[in-house]
Amino acid sequence: MPGRAAIVGVGQTYHTSKRDDVNLPEMVGEAVRAALADAQLSIKDIEAFIFSNMEAFEGILLPEHGMIAEVGATGKPGLKVTGGGTTGSEAVGEGCHMISAGLYDITMVISWQKHDCGDATAGISAAAVPTFAKGMVTGAVSEFAKQALSYMKESGAREEHAAMVRLKADRGACRNPYSHLKLGLKSVDEVLQSPYLVWPIRLYDFCPQSCGACVLVLASEKRAKKIHKKPVWVADFEVVHQEPFRAGSFGDPTGTETYSQHVAIERLYKRNGITNVRKQVDLAEIYEPSSWEEISLYEHFHFCEKNEGWKLIEKGVTEIEGEFPVNPSGGVLATNPIGATPVIRIAEAALQIRGDASEHQATRDIKTAIATALGGPNWTAMFLLKRS
Amino acid sequence: MAEGSPTKKPEQPEYIRIKFDLPRPYHWSTGRYLGKLYAEAKENKRLMANRCPKCKEIRVHAPTPVCPKCKVDMGWDWVELPQTGTVFQYTYQVYPLWDPHEGRRCSNPHPPAIILLDNGVYLRHLLEETDTKKLKEGMRVQAVWEEDYDKRGQGFQDILYFRTIEE
């Protein structure tokens, strides 16, 4: 990639269901200050800003109102990116594009969701175009339920395997100071006692709605090493579109396969000579809205053969101490401020490469990581991060 | 904190509750292709889909002017979808989520399903049968339409659900 960009500053808020103590700009301001402190820069050093969230999920028009002043972006060049679940990755992509194009040396990506102002399912079912999910009061949950049913049928996985994914996520979340749900779960049985939302998706099989923000400072090759002693390089990325409805198109009735994931993976791996992911990449932070989706993504991202994803979780391969850690942060199952969720994946992967993930730092040395995102209308985003 | 008493719990913040119970109609342009789907459903209780001239795939959710796979102009090749099919997969809601149209917790008793229509096309819709013990894959079902003409005009939702049929 011409003119690579590096991550030189990472900032997050803590995540929770309600932030009555701050308004939207104030909450975002916390993450901006944290990122600037990490990069040891002043807001005056930032040359351009990219703002990113999903407006319908908060139900607030122009949420950046008041935020521009709060974060110190007044009069600076910028963009606002609003997509589906991949919103945050698209914003990071834009920040990298600006740097690669030589327009700026330092950009800041600001992503957030303040879910105590609104409701994601309400946004999906009420505000989407009438042919997309209107009247479906189950929102995204029933889509993942259908996908889970198909996966169980095809692969022989059982509900216990989804429970193991939540246990792994919870162990990570309890060690991550920024994560939202810290359930302290002890056993598979405990997870299997949680009630069904939409059969066979249990309450503990699904992600929460969180309030929180995540901010990245990106810098050019020229500046990165001078700013941070451990810059993390965005070696490559790929963002691919598809279209509404995971299922019913491209011969895939239930959405166990997603066209955009296959395309994104093929391109990213081919360009970077990746033929054996688990050997050539050290860690993954993936976007798993449900525990079943995590198992499914292991296969889509070629961490294992088809229908063998559940064996990875059974053998503990993807645990923090494992051979190929996946989501040591606790992932989306624990923390989900939707607009910021993909940016947290990238931020957490970067912290792992730096060795700065504190309590939830993976046991093995992480030099290379992938961070992914997915979202309606079936976009897939994939980032490849490297230490050098 | 409450005055003078360090042991007293802090006061809970006061939430403003607004109840929405007025209809909120809105204007939405279907365009030429979707318009065909909406008009055929409202006027003739027919479910239409268009077909790509190149790959011959039938676009169900929803008709589009361009084939996403071949990236060619779809032309004007329409297929009437059969109104009977087989339940390929179903799920059902256990815990009520938000009903955004009412602004309150609401449960939809009708199980969402993927129905394999008799021409081999998959349609996502609801089932009439709410007793989960009676649901099974492979069940034969038929579309039940909204009979009130004035209430139709909702595209796919002009079909209320699919009813179990004996054959």
Side-chain angles (χ1 to χ4, degrees), chain A residues 270-352:
Chain A
K270 197 173 175 185
R271 273 204 303 266
N272 295 280
I274 297 173
T275 49
N276 185 334
V277 193
R278 265 161 63 190
K279 285 226 162 66
Q280 291 167 277
V281 177
D282 302 316
L283 171 142
E285 270 287 339
I286 62 173
Y287 190 114
E288 27 52 287
S290 82
S291 45
W292 286 106
E293 179 72 9
E294 172 156 338
I295 302 177
S296 196
L297 289 176
Y298 289 172
E299 299 172 15
H300 291 183
F301 296 154
H302 304 182
F303 301 165
C304 61
E305 296 297 317
K306 198 163 161 48
N307 294 331
E308 296 198 337
W310 57 275
K311 292 179 186 164
L312 289 194
I313 190 77
E314 205 175 62
K315 289 178 190 158
V317 173
T318 53
E319 299 281 345
I320 290 186
E321 309 81 9
E323 168 216 321
F324 186 75
V326 177
N327 290 14
S329 63
V332 187
L333 282 173
T335 309
N336 187 33
I338 300 182
T341 299
V343 186
I344 298 175
R345 305 278 71 70
I346 296 167
E348 285 289 345
L351 290 175
Q352 292 284 348

Side-chain angles (χ1 to χ4, degrees), chain A residues 134-370:
Chain A
K134 185 180 176 243
M136 303 278 259
V137 289
T138 48
V141 189
S142 69
E143 290 309 297
F144 286 104
K146 285 169 184 160
Q147 182 230 27
L149 283 170
S150 297
Y151 182 76
M152 271 191 259
K153 201 171 170 182
E154 282 167 31
S155 69
R158 299 185 310 274
E159 286 195 69
E160 285 79 359
H161 296 110
M164 288 175 200
V165 175
R166 167 58 82 177
L167 276 181
K168 172 177 78 67
D170 195 44
R171 279 194 289 269
C174 288
R175 293 157 81 163
N176 178 355
Y178 299 105
S179 66
H180 176 182
L181 294 181
K182 298 170 197 281
L183 301 167
L185 296 166
K186 299 278 188 298
S187 68
V188 164
D189 284 346
E190 223 176 321
V191 181
L192 292 178
Q193 276 164 22
S194 75
Y196 287 121
L197 294 173
V198 178
W199 174 76
I201 298 278
R202 293 177 188 276
L203 178 65
Y204 286 168
D205 284 330
F206 216 68
C207 57
Q209 300 188 44
S210 317
C211 292
C214 184
V215 171
L216 295 183
V217 181
L218 303 169
S220 64
E221 288 198 280
K222 196 171 71 184
R223 299 290 300 277
K225 280 177 190 157
K226 287 174 197 153
I227 296 170
H228 204 288
K229 58 179 186 295
K230 290 185 281 189
V232 174
W233 299 95
V234 180
D236 199 355
F237 65 92
E238 185 73 45
V239 182
V240 178
H241 313 175
Q242 191 175 338
E243 60 173 287
F245 277 112
R246 292 168 70 80
S249 55
F250 299 119
D252 174 25
T254 64
T256 41
E257 304 298 323
T258 295
Y259 168 78
S260 65
Q261 281 169 6
H262 293 308
V263 176
I265 277 290
E266 197 180 313
R267 283 199 206 124
L268 189 89
Y269 288 179
K270 197 173 175 185
R271 273 204 303 266
N272 295 280
I274 297 173
T275 49
N276 185 334
V277 193
R278 265 161 63 190
K279 285 226 162 66
Q280 291 167 277
V281 177
D282 302 316
L283 171 142
E285 270 287 339
I286 62 173
Y287 190 114
E288 27 52 287
S290 82
S291 45
W292 286 106
E293 179 72 9
E294 172 156 338
I295 302 177
S296 196
L297 289 176
Y298 289 172
E299 299 172 15
H300 291 183
F301 296 154
H302 304 182
F303 301 165
C304 61
E305 296 297 317
K306 198 163 161 48
N307 294 331
E308 296 198 337
W310 57 275
K311 292 179 186 164
L312 289 194
I313 190 77
E314 205 175 62
K315 289 178 190 158
V317 173
T318 53
E319 299 281 345
I320 290 186
E321 309 81 9
E323 168 216 321
F324 186 75
V326 177
N327 290 14
S329 63
V332 187
L333 282 173
T335 309
N336 187 33
I338 300 182
T341 299
V343 186
I344 298 175
R345 305 278 71 70
I346 296 167
E348 285 289 345
L351 290 175
Q352 292 284 348
I353 289 174
R354 275 163 47 172
D356 287 346
S358 65
E359 292 291 297
H360 61 289
Q361 179 68 42
T363 310
R364 60 174 297 189
D365 185 34
I366 309 297
K367 295 192 188 77
T368 306
I370 57 173

Side-chain angles (χ1 to χ4, degrees), chain A residues 119 143 153 197 199 243, chain B residues 15 59 91 94 98 124 137:
Chain A
D119 181 84
E143 290 309 297
K153 201 171 170 182
L197 294 173
W199 174 76
E243 60 173 287
Chain B
Y15 294 104
R59 307 290 313 148
T91 178
V94 180
W98 281 107
R124 308 166 85 73
E137 287 174 10

Side-chain angles (χ1 to χ4, degrees), chain B residues 2-95:
Chain B
E3 282 173 48
S5 163
T7 54
K8 215 171 176 180
K9 272 189 180 172
E11 277 181 41
Q12 288 298 309
E14 186 190 343
Y15 294 104
I16 301 166
R17 292 182 192 280
I18 300 164
K19 193 178 170 193
F20 294 105
D21 49 8
L22 289 172
R24 298 179 301 285
Y26 63 97
H27 183 90
W28 189 78
S29 308
T30 57
R32 192 164 160 247
Y33 281 79
L34 263 180
K36 168 88 174 164
L37 171 95
Y38 276 68
E40 287 281 0
K42 184 171 172 73
E43 301 300 328
N44 307 316
K45 294 198 279 189
R46 300 207 299 171
L47 199 55
M48 303 300 288
N50 68 342
R51 179 163 50 189
C52 171
K54 202 172 164 192
C55 71
K56 303 290 177 192
E57 185 166 320
I58 297 171
R59 307 290 313 148
V60 180
H61 294 288
T64 53
V66 173
C67 173
K69 202 191 277 177
C70 308
K71 299 169 181 75
V72 296
D73 212 314
M74 290 286 260
W76 198 251
D77 182 13
W78 289 90
V79 179
E80 184 184 348
L81 297 176
Q83 302 193 7
T84 51
T86 307
V87 174
F88 175 79
Q89 193 181 64
Y90 64 88
T91 178
Y92 51 86
Q93 197 178 9
V94 180
Y95 187 78

Side-chain angles (χ1 to χ4, degrees), chain A residues 44-56:
Chain A
K44 290 177 186 156
D45 298 316
I46 309 297
E47 296 168 18
F49 292 81
I50 300 104
F51 293 89
S52 170
N53 82 321
M54 292 166 82
E55 292 193 349

